Amino acid sequence: LETMRDVMLGTSGVNAAEARLKATTCVKNLSNADANDAALLHCPGLVDALGTVARTTLSSPTTTTNACLALMNLSISKVNKHRVFRTPGVMDALIYVISQEGNNEAKVKACSALSNLAIGYDNKIPMFEYPGFVDAILRVIRDDVGGEARTKACSILWSFAAEMKNQVPVVQRGDILPILVRVAEEDTTTEARFKCVAALTLLAESLENALPLLRSGALVPLMNILHEAGPDPTQWKGQTASWCVGFLMNLSQSDDAVPLLREAGVVELLAPLLTLNHYQSLKAAMAVTFVCRYDEDDATYDLLRKTETVIPKIISLLHNTLAGRGGNGYKYGVFTLRSSVGCIASLASGPDFMKERIATGPVFESL
């Protein structure tokens, strides 16, 4: 491995370029097997050398691609992610590759490596803050319409949004939200839309983001996706519509957002889901409960009656999320504890029949 590293870094000699290619290919091939990770990562300077090769071999596209492939493979395992990320030169090299034109395969592999790294819990904040990285990712999303690199880049934004400490800074940047909304509106053929809808849903977990999300125009495309998906979730293709329901559930917990959601027709859109024996009914019931929490008219009473069958699931969600275990509640998806506690509070302030359904042992124990 040390010999391969030295050959990869060698720049003199008649056959230096060919030797570099073969050494890089050798390391790439070794990286295909997880069992080799430890040896590759513990070879002094080998990962650094892959970064150097990726950044300095644009005249040899295959060499660049293989270096990015090796970094992609080494960044798959959970235990490797932070080590690869903090290796000097690796981030700069990958950012350089995704910023260049002409070698799309290397760009895709570099985006894949960066996407793998962004999944690592210890990497989400420092990667978001890494100089020039977000700008490079947004350029890929803007330029690579319909391409695989765009989908990988959108995955990175999703990973950033999954870290709660990133959620407000992501929105405050000002240039990420318009991109997420644009992809949600225009991309109907790749997974990029799904990634961006998921990112928007996670950003909506932070109540401070509610009004900026609404002002960004995110509501219309996500409601359109739900409308096109139809009222029967068993017929939905993929997870995009499911994330849209989650987006509305998260957004509805903001007092400032409620009037705008009411006016946009969110309650009417979600009403068909309330009576179904399906996990989407849980999120829909919670969203409707939040949106209607200040209403006292007959129509609201009838809507709340429709949510009665879902209440035991909401209670299980509260109980099991708090206990950190699965069960009838937690298996329905990942919810912030605030979502279930807030929903219980809204239901408890509702009509008498609702108070009776909420006044149970598990609820008191959890509270």
Side-chain angles (χ1 to χ4, degrees):
L1 291 178
E2 290 172 356
T3 303
M4 291 299 146
R5 175 202 64 200
D6 294 343
V7 173
M8 285 162 59
L9 294 174
T11 56
S12 60
V14 179
N15 298 316
E18 184 180 357
R20 212 176 193 193
L21 168 60
K22 290 183 176 178
T24 306
T25 304
C26 176
V27 173
K28 183 265 293 184
N29 291 341
L30 289 170
S31 73
N32 288 333
D34 295 344
N36 294 331
D37 283 4
L40 292 165
L41 289 170
H42 286 96
C43 176
L46 181 63
V47 179
D48 313 50
L50 288 170
T52 300
V53 170
R55 193 177 63 252
T56 59
T57 57
L58 289 182
S59 59
S60 176
T62 305
T63 308
T64 306
T65 300
N66 285 349
C68 292
L69 254 171
L71 290 169
M72 181 189 83
N73 289 337
L74 289 171
S75 61
I76 291 172
S77 174
K78 181 179 178 181
V79 297
N80 297 347
K81 294 183 189 298
H82 193 58
R83 185 184 184 116
V84 174
F85 164 69
R86 60 186 173 83
T87 299
V90 166
M91 278 295 292
D92 291 335
L94 293 172
I95 292 171
Y96 180 78
V97 172
I98 68 172
S99 301
Q100 303 303 307
E101 299 299 328
N103 188 351
N104 189 62
E105 189 177 0
K107 181 181 287 191
V108 170
K109 301 310 178 190
C111 280
S112 297
L114 290 163
S115 178
N116 290 342
L117 293 175
I119 294 170
Y121 288 112
D122 294 334
N123 295 346
K124 293 181 189 297
I125 294 173
M127 283 185 74
F128 174 66
E129 296 173 346
Y130 199 90
F133 180 41
V134 173
D135 294 328
I137 287 302
L138 295 180
R139 277 196 301 274
V140 171
I141 296 173
R142 277 193 294 266
D143 298 342
D144 190 46
V145 177
E148 190 179 349
R150 181 189 230 202
T151 299
K152 297 295 183 183
C154 291
S155 293
I156 294 168
L157 297 183
W158 179 10
S159 291
F160 287 160
E163 167 55 61
M164 193 157 280
K165 291 178 182 176
N166 278 341
Q167 288 171 355
V168 172
V170 162
V171 169
Q172 287 177 338
R173 263 191 67 111
D175 54 356
I176 295 177
L177 267 189
I179 287 285
L180 292 173
V181 173
R182 175 177 155 188
V183 175
E185 285 175 333
E186 71 182 20
D187 198 317
T188 59
T189 58
T190 73
E191 285 193 10
R193 172 193 257 188
F194 160 64
K195 314 281 188 187
C196 288
V197 169
L200 289 166
T201 300
L202 292 168
L203 293 175
E205 286 181 350
S206 293
L207 297 184
E208 192 176 330
N209 289 340
L211 286 183
L213 281 164
L214 287 169
R215 293 190 192 110
S216 73
L219 186 60
V220 172
L222 270 64
M223 287 184 67
N224 286 343
I225 290 170
L226 261 181
H227 182 74
E228 291 165 9
D232 182 0
T234 63
Q235 301 300 311
W236 292 355
K237 293 179 174 62
Q239 295 295 312
T240 308
S242 175
W243 280 98
C244 292
V245 180
F247 175 80
L248 297 176
M249 182 193 75
N250 289 340
L251 214 55
S252 66
Q253 295 174 56
S254 162
D255 290 343
D256 294 330
V258 164
L260 297 167
L261 295 175
R262 249 325 203 164
E263 185 181 335
V266 164
V267 172
E268 292 76 12
L269 180 65
L270 295 177
L273 299 175
L274 296 179
T275 55
L276 302 175
N277 183 23
H278 194 279
Y279 77 95
Q280 297 301 337
S281 66
L282 172 61
K283 290 185 287 185
M286 293 174 77
V288 168
T289 299
F290 282 123
V291 173
C292 296
R293 61 186 178 272
Y294 302 120
D295 299 346
E296 297 179 353
D297 56 17
D298 291 342
T300 301
Y301 183 89
D302 292 340
L303 270 174
L304 291 175
R305 275 289 183 192
K306 290 181 178 179
T307 67
E308 273 193 286
T309 57
V310 186
I311 289 174
K313 295 174 184 174
I314 295 173
I315 293 172
S316 290
L317 178 71
L318 169 67
H319 197 59
N320 292 321
T321 304
L322 187 63
R325 64 171 188 265
N328 289 332
Y330 195 72
K331 74 177 182 183
Y332 285 96
V334 179
F335 297 79
T336 59
L337 189 59
R338 186 194 68 232
S339 297
S340 46
V341 174
C343 188
I344 296 289
S346 296
L347 292 170
S349 66
D352 287 344
F353 80 88
M354 198 60 81
K355 296 182 194 297
E356 292 169 6
R357 296 299 302 271
I358 291 299
T360 68
V363 170
F364 284 114
E365 182 187 338
S366 295
L367 295 176

